[in-house]
């Protein structure tokens, strides 16, 4: 099996474009790693909040707060932001 050239890997038609795409993909990979780390940190903070709320006699989930989060993401990112926030909230619920 032969190694693919950067042009073949990126689908670009020129070496210049392939190099640009390769560098941009490396940056995206680094950003994705940071985003994953931030979501994991958010999950940990959410667990602290849920534990405090439950131990004080409250519910695990605060729907009013979740609606605020959904609105914040929708305002910042449009309709797809709402879906992203829903996935994030799902990741953060019930981890305790």
């Amino acid at each position: 099996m032969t190694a693919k050239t950067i042009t073949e890997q990126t689908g670009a038609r020129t070496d210049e474009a392939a190099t640009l795409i390769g560098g941009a993909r490396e940056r995206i990979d680094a950003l994705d790693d940071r985003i994953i780390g931030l979501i994991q940190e958010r999950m940990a903070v959410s667990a602290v909040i849920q534990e405090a709320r439950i131990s004080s006699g409250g519910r695990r989930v605060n729907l009013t707060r979740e609606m605020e989060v959904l609105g914040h993401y929708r305002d910042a990112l449009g309709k797809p932001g709402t879906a992203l926030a829903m996935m994030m909230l799902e990741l953060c619920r019930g981890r305790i």
Side-chain angles (χ1 to χ4, degrees), residues 74-85:
R74 181 191 61 245
D75 292 346
L77 303 172
K79 187 176 178 181
T82 303
L84 177 62

Side-chain angles (χ1 to χ4, degrees), residues 1-66:
M1 182 175 249
T2 61
K4 290 184 177 182
T5 66
I6 191 166
T7 305
E8 292 170 327
Q9 291 171 357
T10 63
R13 299 205 179 210
T14 67
D15 289 341
E16 182 180 328
T19 299
L20 183 118
I21 291 167
R25 285 182 177 172
E26 287 176 12
R27 179 76 176 124
I28 285 175
D29 290 345
L31 288 167
D32 285 343
D33 288 342
R34 287 176 49 201
I35 291 166
I36 290 166
L38 288 170
I39 291 172
Q40 289 170 332
E41 183 179 348
R42 189 188 194 288
M43 290 168 66
V45 172
S46 182
V48 169
I49 292 168
Q50 289 175 54
E51 178 67 35
R53 191 181 308 110
I54 291 168
S55 67
S56 72
R59 294 177 168 226
R60 179 177 56 86
V61 175
N62 180 330
L63 295 178
T64 301
R65 174 62 180 150
E66 288 197 358

Side-chain angles (χ1 to χ4, degrees), residues 73-91:
Y73 274 73
R74 181 191 61 245
D75 292 346
L77 303 172
K79 187 176 178 181
T82 303
L84 177 62
M86 283 298 296
M87 284 187 272
M88 185 187 56
L89 290 169
E90 185 178 334
L91 282 168

